[in-house]
């Protein structure tokens, strides 16, 4: 689904990604963990070209992203993204937030788009909030709308960048539950998260990023119970 080869990203003289080589297979759930500033967000943002890589290659379903920058909008449709800050449109009702992109980009029939938007809101447990505005929702509800909105484009893979980090603790569970259900339904997912319980329970593979490289990767049971890299051990010692 996704493959990166020697992916580098510099901001001026700052080398943030120093050669990321990995692949994500269809249906896999990957969790990325690692210290703040290690390049996790930059990596996700490179995958859908919110940041332009300095060098290296990214393939999405076998297509080189770097060679098809003209078709970037088409590629981006395959890749849904959910951010820590929900980035909902405050002046639009929940249902319109979910329907906006498919209406504009896919140019589908309005009734079909809205029927699907309602289905997606039901899927994230919010069918009773369709007519509400974002300001009337809790953080957990906003993030579930953001997930429904990303799903509305029918992506083949979903990227999550610390989706629960801005939430009050009592709302983390409802968002993780939606993500768990998505994973169960077979969605391919790349999740940057400090929720080690989620990583352990849901992911097929954990990547530990440190200072711009993947310092260690493996099955969650191995990474959490028997980390091999010294820096993984130090990091887990702090967060577990
Ligand atoms: P993480 O998500 O792991 O905390 P980031 O990918 O956000 O790490 O950031 C990695 C490094 O890149 C940090 O030193 C950060 O300050 C720097 N960085 C990120 N985005 C930019 C940018 N747009 N311009 C300059 N530096 C950036
Ligand atoms: Mg980040």
């Amino acid at each position: 689904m996704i493959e990166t080869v020697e992916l580098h990203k510099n901001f001026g003289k700052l080398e943030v990604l120093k050669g990321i080589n990995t692949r994500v297979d269809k249906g896999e759930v990957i969790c990325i963990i690692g210290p703040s500033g290690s390049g996790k967000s930059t990596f996700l943002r490179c995958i859908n070209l919110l940041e332009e890589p300095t060098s290296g290659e990214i393939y999405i379903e076998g297509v080189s992203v770097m060679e098809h920058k003209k078709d970037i909008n088409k590629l981006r449709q395959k890749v849904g993204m959910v951010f820590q800050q929900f980035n909902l449109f405050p002046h639009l009702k929940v249902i319109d937030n979910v329907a906006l992109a498919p209406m504009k980009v896919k140019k589908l029939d309005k009734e079909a788009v809205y029927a699907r938007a309602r289905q997606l809101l039901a899927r994230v447990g919010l069918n009773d909030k369709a007519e509400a505005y974002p300001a009337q929702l809790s953080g957990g509800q906003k993030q579930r709308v953001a997930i429904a909105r990303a799903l509305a484009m029918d992506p083949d893979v979903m990227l999550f960048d610390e989706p629960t980090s801005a939430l009050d603790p009592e709302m983390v569970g409802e968002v993780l539950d939606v993500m768990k259900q998505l994973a169960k339904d077979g969605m391919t997912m790349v999740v940057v998260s400090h929720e080690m319980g989620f990583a352990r329970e849901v992911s097929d593979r954990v990547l530990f990023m440190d200072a711009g490289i993947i310092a260690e990767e493996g099955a969650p049971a191995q990474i959490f119970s028997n980390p091999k890299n010294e820096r993984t051990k130090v990091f887990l010692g702090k967060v577990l």
Side-chain angles (χ1 to χ4, degrees):
M1 190 70 78
I2 301 173
E3 184 174 8
T4 69
V5 181
E6 281 304 311
L7 182 66
H8 284 76
K9 175 64 184 175
N10 304 343
F11 291 109
K13 285 187 178 155
L14 183 67
E15 277 188 277
V16 175
L17 300 180
K18 300 174 187 166
I20 303 284
N21 297 287
T22 194
R23 52 182 285 176
V24 181
D25 291 329
K26 190 169 162 57
E28 250 192 325
V29 178
I30 307 289
C31 276
I32 304 180
I33 61 172
S36 183
S38 56
K40 304 181 299 297
S41 295
T42 304
F43 177 54
L44 283 195
R45 293 170 62 82
C46 281
I47 291 177
N48 61 2
L49 287 197
L50 289 174
E51 301 287 355
E52 187 168 341
T54 305
S55 65
E57 264 299 355
I58 302 171
Y59 300 94
I60 296 183
E61 295 175 348
V63 176
S64 161
V65 171
M66 305 296 275
E67 282 171 21
H68 293 81
K69 285 182 199 156
K70 292 188 305 291
D71 304 326
I72 185 61
N73 286 330
K74 234 181 179 173
L75 278 172
R76 270 199 199 128
Q77 284 178 37
K78 296 177 190 273
V79 183
M81 185 140 179
V82 174
F83 302 88
Q84 181 175 336
Q85 301 301 339
F86 327 112
N87 303 336
L88 298 178
F89 300 108
H91 60 292
L92 293 182
K93 288 179 182 174
V94 161
I95 187 82
D96 298 323
N97 264 279
V98 177
L100 182 68
M103 281 294 285
K104 284 211 156 160
V105 179
K106 298 208 160 177
K107 303 203 164 44
L108 296 171
D109 162 61
K110 183 170 178 184
E111 241 167 78
V113 169
Y114 274 78
R116 167 107 169 105
R118 281 179 200 282
Q119 268 176 10
L120 288 168
L121 285 175
R123 190 165 168 192
V124 301
L126 290 174
N127 41 357
D128 57 334
K129 296 291 183 190
E131 305 299 322
Y133 284 90
Q136 298 168 309
L137 303 183
S138 71
Q141 291 170 332
K142 283 183 205 170
Q143 192 60 300
R144 286 186 281 146
V145 174
I147 293 171
R149 184 178 59 175
L151 291 172
M153 293 299 285
D154 280 322
D156 294 337
V157 52
M158 288 277 285
L159 311 178
F160 293 86
D161 193 358
E162 300 201 29
T164 60
S165 295
L167 300 178
D168 291 332
E170 73 269 25
M171 292 167 189
V172 169
E174 66 194 55
V175 172
L176 292 181
D177 284 346
V178 166
M179 292 169 62
K180 276 180 207 170
Q181 192 56 50
L182 257 186
K184 258 193 203 147
D185 294 343
M187 179 60 78
T188 310
M189 295 165 55
V190 182
V191 183
V192 173
S193 181
H194 298 295
E195 294 294 330
M196 297 300 151
F198 177 86
R200 196 189 272 263
E201 188 186 333
V202 181
S203 71
D204 298 299
R205 192 149 46 93
V206 175
L207 309 185
F208 172 67
M209 277 188 71
D210 189 57
I213 60 162
I214 296 173
E216 181 166 1
E217 67 181 291
Q222 183 257 306
I223 297 281
F224 289 114
S225 311
N226 187 22
K228 298 195 170 72
N229 186 302
E230 204 49 47
R231 291 188 290 186
T232 317
K233 288 181 198 169
V234 171
F235 175 76
L236 290 175
K238 287 182 192 158
V239 299
L240 287 180

